Amino acid sequence: MKLGALIAALAGIALAAWLVFAVGFSGVARAIGDAGWSGFGLLLGYGLAMFVVLGFAWRALMAEGGAGPYIWARMVRDSAGEVLPFSQFGGIVLGARALSLHGLKAASATASTTADLTTEMMAQIAFIAIGLGAFVLRFGLEAKGLSATILAGVSFVIAGSLAFIVLQRSGAALAERLAARFFPGGLGHAQAFRRALEAIYERPTRLALSALLHLLGWIASAGATWLAIRLVGGSVDLSDAIAIESILCALRSAAIVVPAALGVQEAGYALMLPLFGLPAEMGLAISLLKRGREIAIGAPVLFAWQALEGRHALKAGTVGRSK
């Protein structure tokens, strides 16, 4: 773990802890208690169902194979990004690796991961825009300050998405030229990645389907927020939940270098819910319930992934000795 990410993680943990005690530990604990184990189980089931949608969004980009490996790889990707102490980039790498362990060639796994990130970013832009519209309809001109914040988040995501698309299309060619000049052994891998990526982008219908499924996934994330608010004793409309989650989405995008957006997510919920007539302790309770859900799903997934990695390494070693 890099020093900068470690400092960001520790600062985020400190901010989250300070918020809990500043708002009132008893109030946060009471709100979590209102959800109960049955409510937490409902959030777990909802989270698992969301992985199915996201896995199908990834699978939509490819012309062959079932959805199972993509659902699993997405679970590994998100679990690593939310549970392990590094940024989302590490989770992306592990997700591609998990997909390759299920028989997909490394170049295809990496290319599909790259394209899936692109369609997810485009859906994210649409989701934040929808949330901004819902927020302005809810508060009108009184929302000027926060609307500017959301617009800044949208601008950040759009700029990041465009840069990502440009880099992946031109960067693949650059990587191929560099590999040919300095790393002849890596030229074949760079060429295979470029061909796989181009093959994906030659199917616009699949790209559109992937983006649509990702948009449904983002809206479903707002549904999880609506459900969590209900479980802790609050009540908002789905449009309000979309507005809340879109702002949190923009904040998390801006804080992408902070592992799991520690502290950023907690502060966002604590600041947003009072705008909708709910106490800040409910916002912190919702954030902590979501953290608990991520750990409850992510820890077993990562243990299972490690077991698969070990079995793969053992099998590779056995084959190597037999030659």
Side-chain angles (χ1 to χ4, degrees):
M1 186 178 184
K2 293 184 178 180
L3 180 60
L6 176 60
I7 294 173
L10 291 175
I13 293 172
L15 174 59
W18 179 82
L19 284 169
V20 170
F21 286 100
V23 169
F25 178 80
S26 61
V28 176
R30 185 167 53 251
I32 293 175
D34 288 341
W37 287 108
S38 60
F40 185 67
L42 192 57
L43 286 176
L44 280 178
Y46 194 102
L48 291 172
M50 284 180 59
F51 278 121
V52 175
V53 176
L54 297 176
F56 270 95
W58 195 345
R59 165 63 183 83
L61 296 167
M62 307 301 286
E64 70 285 329
Y70 296 90
I71 295 171
W72 168 249
R74 181 62 196 233
M75 292 177 74
V76 172
R77 185 166 115 189
D78 284 10
S79 296
E82 299 294 346
V83 177
L84 296 181
F86 46 64
S87 71
Q88 296 291 332
F89 297 111
I92 291 167
V93 172
L94 293 190
R97 171 64 180 170
L99 189 57
S100 68
L101 288 178
H102 281 79
L104 200 67
K105 293 181 180 178
S108 296
T110 306
S112 70
T113 300
T114 303
D116 184 61
L117 287 168
T118 301
T119 56
E120 185 169 20
M121 285 180 178
M122 301 309 293
Q124 186 183 36
I125 293 170
F127 175 65
I128 296 176
I130 292 170
L132 176 61
F135 191 83
V136 171
L137 285 174
R138 175 74 156 77
F139 294 101
L141 295 178
E142 297 175 5
K144 282 182 178 179
L146 279 174
S147 295
T149 301
I150 302 174
L151 284 173
V154 173
S155 301
F156 178 86
V157 175
I158 292 174
S161 299
L162 292 176
F164 188 74
I165 293 169
V166 170
L167 286 174
Q168 66 181 269
R169 300 303 296 272
S170 61
L174 176 60
E176 187 176 327
R177 291 195 296 271
L178 291 174
R181 182 173 181 180
F182 298 106
F183 308 101
L187 178 59
H189 297 292
Q191 290 176 333
F193 168 75
R194 184 182 183 186
R195 287 194 297 268
L197 190 62
E198 288 176 345
I200 292 173
Y201 281 116
E202 287 171 357
R203 298 190 288 264
T205 302
R206 289 185 175 276
L207 290 168
L209 177 58
S210 177
L212 176 60
L213 288 172
H214 275 303
L215 180 57
L216 291 177
W218 283 115
I219 293 173
S221 71
T225 298
W226 176 87
L227 176 60
I229 290 173
R230 299 283 296 187
L231 290 173
V232 298
S235 178
V236 294
D237 295 335
L238 181 58
S239 60
D240 290 342
I242 290 174
I244 293 169
E245 198 60 27
S246 68
I247 294 175
L248 264 295
C249 177
L251 289 174
R252 287 181 66 103
S253 295
I256 192 171
V257 296
V258 180
L262 290 168
V264 176
Q265 175 176 295
E266 285 70 25
Y269 279 119
L271 291 172
M272 285 300 302
L273 260 65
L275 295 176
F276 294 85
L278 299 173
E281 55 263 30
M282 276 191 180
L284 289 172
I286 290 167
S287 181
L288 294 177
L289 282 170
K290 287 190 173 185
R291 297 284 188 198
R293 181 192 65 184
E294 290 159 1
I295 294 172
I297 294 175
V301 166
L302 292 174
F303 278 123
W305 169 73
Q306 276 292 92
L308 288 174
E309 282 281 2
R311 188 172 66 181
H312 177 78
L314 183 61
K315 183 178 178 180
T318 303
V319 171
R321 288 194 298 271
S322 66
K323 290 184 177 180

